[in-house]
Amino acid sequence: MRQYINMLVFVVILGSVVSFLLVGADLLTKDRIARNDEALLKSSILDAYDISYSFNTVFERFDETVEEVVIENTTFYIDKETSRVSYIFKGSGVWGPIQAIMTLEADFKTIVSISILAQEETPGLGGVLAEAWYLEKYSGTVLSDQSPYIIIRHGNEDNLPNEVDAITGGTRTSEAFMKMVNETYPMYKTLFESRGN
Amino acid sequence: MKWIRIKYTKTYNLLKDGLATSNPIVIAVLGICSSLAVSNKVENAIAMGLGVTFVVMASSMLISSMRSIIPAKVRMVTYMVVISTFVIMFQMFLDAYFPTIAKSLAAYVGLIITNCIVMGRAEAFAVKNPVKYSLVDGFASGMGYMFILVVVAIIREALAFGTILNMRVMPLSFTNWSVMALAPGGFFVMALFIWGIREWLKYYESEV
């Protein structure tokens, strides 16, 4: 009996010590991590608008050139010069959540670029989703007016304006990503169009 | 005379064991998974090596200082809890101060938790030895891991990207061997390296 009590006491003490360490480390790094995430988001948006910036000027350049519009708790980012619009959309991939930025031309139909903020797909297969050369395929794609807005598919035939090649060896990731875009796009579109009213 | 005597101190022998005679990668063949994955770029190898060194030292220290009160039945669980704590701390540190390296190491930082070197040192050394030597042993094992990682990474980065630490070392006409950046390249270089070092140390595994 005594032995079990000792064990229990030990586990409780160990638990408190490591929790203390972790809370401390979290307090020390939390602000910087949040700032890094923000810098990643802002630099991705600046990249989509072809605005040059350096590591130290991300925040200033962003404030100068980008307008943030909040409609019903959803933030849209608008390039002051070209009126390109960006929004952040989320969904689930094969292994975990995917978070990405969609940048569209002022018509809210033509894709300028898509960049991935977070993903946990299989490296080398589905993970290709986050690689620049693959994401380039999306630029110039025109989302159609009704569902399905975008089609991500395999095959050799020429792509229609709203079709993009799927990832070889990452079929399920491609499907998940297609679902994500198709489910979120109409929502953001309605929101954005209600802006003037 | 002092220099001669240094050879017979425990610290010297611990360092020698970790770096050479029982090097975690070459001799014990532990931690191979992460070493194949992150040895394609020197900066990744250095970050990973430092991470593993920090985690081994910190967990060895904590486990060694608690060695008389750890109940034998929950020994392994204790190691896991302690190791994961330090790994998470290291991950937070990387996320906060080196976000680009954190991004390229991705899942492998979290996987230090399952790196056999850390658990191996805790069970084989820290739990039986005083704090001072556990620290030295942790340092030696971590450095042994980092040393192999960095050397392999230098070979792989030079051949795969023509650079070392992102500085050009190969002539511009050099065609990059992309395969070196991928897993197969890691296997080739690592295997040749392990063979070479084992030949040099005259370490042969006997067949039973």
Side-chain angles (χ1 to χ4, degrees):
Chain A
M1 191 62 198
R2 206 188 134 73
Q3 193 189 345
Y4 287 106
I5 293 173
N6 280 349
M7 200 150 77
L8 217 70
V9 171
F10 175 79
V11 172
V12 170
I13 294 175
L14 181 73
S16 346
V17 171
V18 296
S19 319
F20 179 74
L21 283 174
L22 285 179
V23 170
D26 183 51
L27 281 179
L28 285 175
T29 53
K30 199 168 53 183
D31 294 344
R32 278 198 76 108
I33 293 177
R35 204 177 146 81
N36 286 338
D37 288 344
E38 202 187 333
L40 175 69
L41 168 70
K42 294 193 165 170
S43 59
S44 307
I45 292 177
L46 290 180
D47 282 339
Y49 299 158
D50 287 325
I51 295 170
S52 63
Y53 62 89
S54 76
F55 186 72
N56 296 317
T57 59
V58 179
F59 292 96
E60 291 155 32
R61 289 289 287 160
F62 187 85
D63 292 341
E64 273 166 34
T65 52
V66 180
E67 189 190 346
E68 287 183 47
V69 180
V70 182
I71 307 167
E72 289 175 31
N73 296 326
T74 310
T75 314
F76 290 91
Y77 303 90
I78 302 169
D79 183 354
K80 284 178 188 163
E81 203 171 299
T82 60
S83 310
R84 285 172 171 178
V85 191
S86 302
Y87 63 83
I88 300 170
F89 63 108
K90 293 170 193 167
S92 34
V94 177
W95 298 118
I98 298 178
Q99 199 182 6
I101 306 173
M102 168 76 83
T103 304
L104 299 162
E105 294 287 3
D107 62 1
F108 216 81
K109 272 169 89 176
T110 315
I111 298 181
V112 177
S113 73
I114 293 182
S115 40
I116 307 288
L117 291 173
Q119 55 92 15
E120 293 166 22
E121 302 310 291
T122 323
L125 299 174
V128 167
L129 179 66
E131 288 175 21
W133 68 268
Y134 178 70
L135 289 168
E136 258 171 38
K137 291 179 188 290
Y138 286 84
S139 68
T141 305
V142 183
L143 296 166
S144 79
D145 289 324
Q146 68 243 357
S147 174
Y149 303 97
I150 194 170
I151 298 168
I152 301 172
R153 61 170 185 89
H154 290 291
N156 292 328
E157 309 95 80
D158 285 340
N159 284 331
L160 293 171
N162 70 333
E163 290 182 341
V164 183
D165 292 336
I167 302 164
T168 311
T171 308
R172 283 179 57 216
T173 300
S174 311
E175 282 167 6
F177 193 63
M178 176 165 93
K179 201 172 144 219
M180 239 173 95
V181 177
N182 282 331
E183 279 175 2
T184 51
Y185 173 69
M187 202 175 80
Y188 286 104
K189 193 176 180 184
T190 338
L191 264 182
F192 190 71
E193 282 168 354
S194 72
R195 164 177 67 126
N197 308 329
Chain B
M1 283 309 282
K2 229 181 159 192
W3 286 110
I4 299 167
R5 254 183 265 140
I6 228 170
K7 267 196 139 177
Y8 301 97
T9 60
K10 191 165 179 179
T11 310
Y12 173 86
N13 281 311
L14 284 175
L15 284 173
K16 193 177 117 191
D17 266 1
L19 282 166
T21 43
S22 57
N23 184 295
I25 295 186
V26 175
I27 306 298
V29 200
L30 294 175
I32 290 296
C33 169
S34 59
S35 55
L36 289 171
V38 299
S39 63
N40 53 357
K41 284 221 158 174
V42 180
E43 58 177 19
N44 293 351
I46 293 175
M48 187 71 177
L50 289 178
V52 170
T53 309
F54 163 74
V55 173
V56 191
M57 284 178 76
S59 56
S60 288
M61 186 188 77
L62 196 59
I63 287 165
S64 164
S65 58
M66 298 190 299
R67 69 187 185 284
S68 54
I69 54 164
I70 297 179
K73 273 193 184 159
V74 291
R75 193 171 86 243
M76 288 291 172
V77 183
T78 310
Y79 301 160
M80 282 327 290
V81 171
V82 169
I83 293 167
S84 16
T85 306
F86 288 117
V87 171
I88 294 168
M89 282 169 71
F90 178 65
Q91 183 144 33
M92 285 173 173
F93 170 77
L94 275 190
D95 279 339
Y97 296 93
F98 300 98
T100 34
I101 293 183
K103 214 173 172 195
S104 58
L105 291 179
Y108 293 102
V109 179
L111 286 176
I112 298 178
I113 295 177
T114 56
N115 193 319
C116 314
I117 300 170
V118 191
M119 191 78 145
R121 288 336 285 171
E123 172 73 0
F125 197 92
V127 82
K128 299 172 197 149
N129 288 279
V131 178
K132 189 174 108 186
Y133 293 123
S134 297
L135 269 176
V136 176
D137 177 72
F139 177 75
S141 301
M143 283 295 140
Y145 174 81
M146 181 167 157
F147 163 63
I148 306 291
L149 230 64
V150 169
V151 176
V152 171
I154 287 174
I155 301 171
R156 287 180 69 187
E157 194 181 333
L159 293 176
F161 304 101
T163 58
I164 288 176
L165 276 174
N166 299 324
M167 279 178 299
R168 190 89 205 164
V169 287
M170 291 298 199
L172 283 174
S173 58
F174 176 77
T175 313
N176 292 344
W177 300 10
S178 305
V179 70
M180 277 296 160
L182 306 173
F187 275 106
F188 289 134
V189 178
M190 192 64 83
L192 287 172
F193 202 72
I194 290 179
W195 177 37
I197 298 234
R198 285 184 171 209
E199 267 317 309
W200 180 47
L201 290 172
K202 300 272 179 291
Y203 175 88
Y204 305 109
E205 273 173 43
S206 55
E207 281 182 37
V208 188

